[in-house]
DNA sequence: TTGAAAGCGCTAACAA
DNA sequence: TTGTTAGCGCTTTCAA
């Protein structure tokens, strides 16, 4: 069966093409009786608007670009996947679609923006993994491309909308939980200072250690590259201290699982002998019974798309005629939307 | 800066629009000197073809649909993510893009096909998770929508192109490895009979057990729902047998990790005391040192896109005029492309 | 409230 | 080898 066009629907309902278009996009302009007739014709012919034609006319594709990561870290890569899954479901519910791309680094990612924007006219992007002096956000902002980031604009003033999860609150909650369980010697096993996410997570532990007057001895604050091996070695060093900690809060599940492995290898039971809490609530954590701080990824995805919606509404049709004769938007440029900072949730399992 | 159009490039290079179009899509038709001039203009104006306009004209969007799964099983969901990651990278290299969608079940997935095809004019789909009497493949085939599946058309005759990984070969390799290590009592911990993938994986173990004359006692072949708890319970039952197996080949990493957990809880060392081999090479397997059968997902993604390319070449422009006046393709319908069956690879770690 | 005309940016078909 | 014409399916603008 040939595909139904707007024209064929119009003929079928004995109205003009424009009336069909209005019935679809501005039903309040159409007389109720006409509307009924048109809708009947639409469903009878199983008509759907042609996406490319509509995009060509309106300069809106309903497509949102998102980067899918090469599989870096074994344990934590899953965070992004869960975010993407939620993003797809949420976008779909709004009539938008997620288009994937990959890039090796930020520079390559910018090159892809260029391609995707001018070639494929995406409406917007959802970025993740922001960091200080992020050239991607600068690139997009300069060209006035609508976007939001999952991750705050560390350091910089942040002239764009963003959604993030409060890492410090996560480690604070973990530490608080351990204190409540009677621990006084609680160590932190994180990444070297200088990484924004890592420093944020460390600060939650440090805050609470200070507030609760915990016994923080030298060697109770480790900073190593993320990974199982490094985590295990760092944990071993802590356990070998003259007065070892009775609990370890970690910046990632990788590090926590490293610590977990070291404990097990020494015949110590995670939780009963030494408590360990991870971060990201990876599937591995669930498997081995590791307590972990869970990020509300579905909420984050929903917040990103809500914010994107606002940005797109505000920043209406860039484009217009190709000669760029449309004037500047009335009333100057509005500021970026209010950022959203979500609270993570501690998932308590056997290890803590 | 206003976006460059084909028109503006044509003016800049002092040729017609059509010549610019040819320079882009059929350079062999253009005089070398003209080509040089046009290309200079293109790069000077930083011109990119407008995707929607091209799609409208050619009825090809270069967009391929793929489903992203709701996070079902904690451990094995990652297989799909790795496949999607490869698919995205491979598609990108071919000038195609992956568009995501989600669906709760096959029926809903078909409804999405309808939406995506008529509304968004996707070129094709890559399905996964095929099973006997799959209504999705029937739906697509009936409408002559180009697609390939990652997963063979279990049971049915299979009139479409597919790429799959030989699960039986994987468990055969695992069993062979254990035999070589001196094991004689090797059990299989899989899913209940009736699931195609599960039966396939079981058959590899059964084949080799027969060929090698292994000691297969009652209770050495378990079939339980996938999961850690079920795997652990089934493993416990095996270990409680009067003559327990010395090695367990599993249909999934979930089951294997369940077995692994049970061994550890009993103070047994996976590998040294009882060997365990999983399937899918999840990140968790790597973390805990579980031997596992790895699927060549990147190769599978590449094969899917190669095959899709052939299908799209063969099945040229559906569509034409909207009144459907183009005749049937010459020479009748060609058959489906040759299927591709890839070999998995056993990754040996401490557990086996 | 509805209809007619124009045109988004591109390429297929044909003419020169 | 290049140019001209037409039109993909839709929405915007303006007139009725």
């Amino acid at each position: 069966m040939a595909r139904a066009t707007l024209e064929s629907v119009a003929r079928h309902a004995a109205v003009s093409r424009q009336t069909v278009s209005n019935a679809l996009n501005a039903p309040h302009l159409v007389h109720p009786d006409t509307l009924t007739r048109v809708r009947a014709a639409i469903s009878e012919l199983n008509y759907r608007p042609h996406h490319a034609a509509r995009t060509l006319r309106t300069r809106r594709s309903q497509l949102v670009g998102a980067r899918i990561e090469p599989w870096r870290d074994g344990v934590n890569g899953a965070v992004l996947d869960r975010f993407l899954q939620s993003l797809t479901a949420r976008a779909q519910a709004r009539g938008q679609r997620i288009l994937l791309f990959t890039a090796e680094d930020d520079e390559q990612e910018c090159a892809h923006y260029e391609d995707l924007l001018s070639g494929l006219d995406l409406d917007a992007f959802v970025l993740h993994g922001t960091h200080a002096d992020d050239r991607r956000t600068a690139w997009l902002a300069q060209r006035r491309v609508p976007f939001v980031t999952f991750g705050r604009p560390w350091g910089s003033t942040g002239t764009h909308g963003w959604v993030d999860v409060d890492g410090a609150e996560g480690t604070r909650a973990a530490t608080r939980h351990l204190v409540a369980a009677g621990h006084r010697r609680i160590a932190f096993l994180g990444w070297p200072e200088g990484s924004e996410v890592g420093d944020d997570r460390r600060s939650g532990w440090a805050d609470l250690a200070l507030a609760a007057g915990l016994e923080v001895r030298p060697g109770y604050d480790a900073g190593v590259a993320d990974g199982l091996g490094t985590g295990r070695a760092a944990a071993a060093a802590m356990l070998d201290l003259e007065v070892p900690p009775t609990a370890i809060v970690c910046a990632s599940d990788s590090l926590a699982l490293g610590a977990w492995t070291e404990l097990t290898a020494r015949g110590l039971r995670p939780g009963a002998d030494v408590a360990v809490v991870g971060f990201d609530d990876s599937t591995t954590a669930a498997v081995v019974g590791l307590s972990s701080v869970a990020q509300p990824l579905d909420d984050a995805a929903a917040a990103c798309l809500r914010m994107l919606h606002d940005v797109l509404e505000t920043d209406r049709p860039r484009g217009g005629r190709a000669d760029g004769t449309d004037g500047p938007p009335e009333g100057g440029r509005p500021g970026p939307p209010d950022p959203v900072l979500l609270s993570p949730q501690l998932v308590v399992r056997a290890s803590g």
Side-chain angles (χ1 to χ4, degrees), chain A residues 233-249:
Chain A
M238 286 180 180
L239 296 171
D240 287 337
L241 289 173
E242 202 161 333
V243 183
T246 63
I248 309 176
V249 172

Side-chain angles (χ1 to χ4, degrees), chain A residues 196-214:
Chain A
E196 294 95 347
V197 174
D199 292 351
D200 185 44
R201 294 184 183 177
R202 170 175 283 112
S203 73
W205 161 81
D207 284 355
L208 205 95
L210 194 64
L214 297 184

Side-chain angles (χ1 to χ4, degrees), chain A residues 168-188:
Chain A
E169 188 180 332
T171 44
R172 214 178 291 129
T175 311
R176 190 180 300 119
H177 167 75
L178 293 167
V179 169
H183 290 276
R184 299 289 303 162
R185 299 200 306 277
I186 305 176
F188 182 75

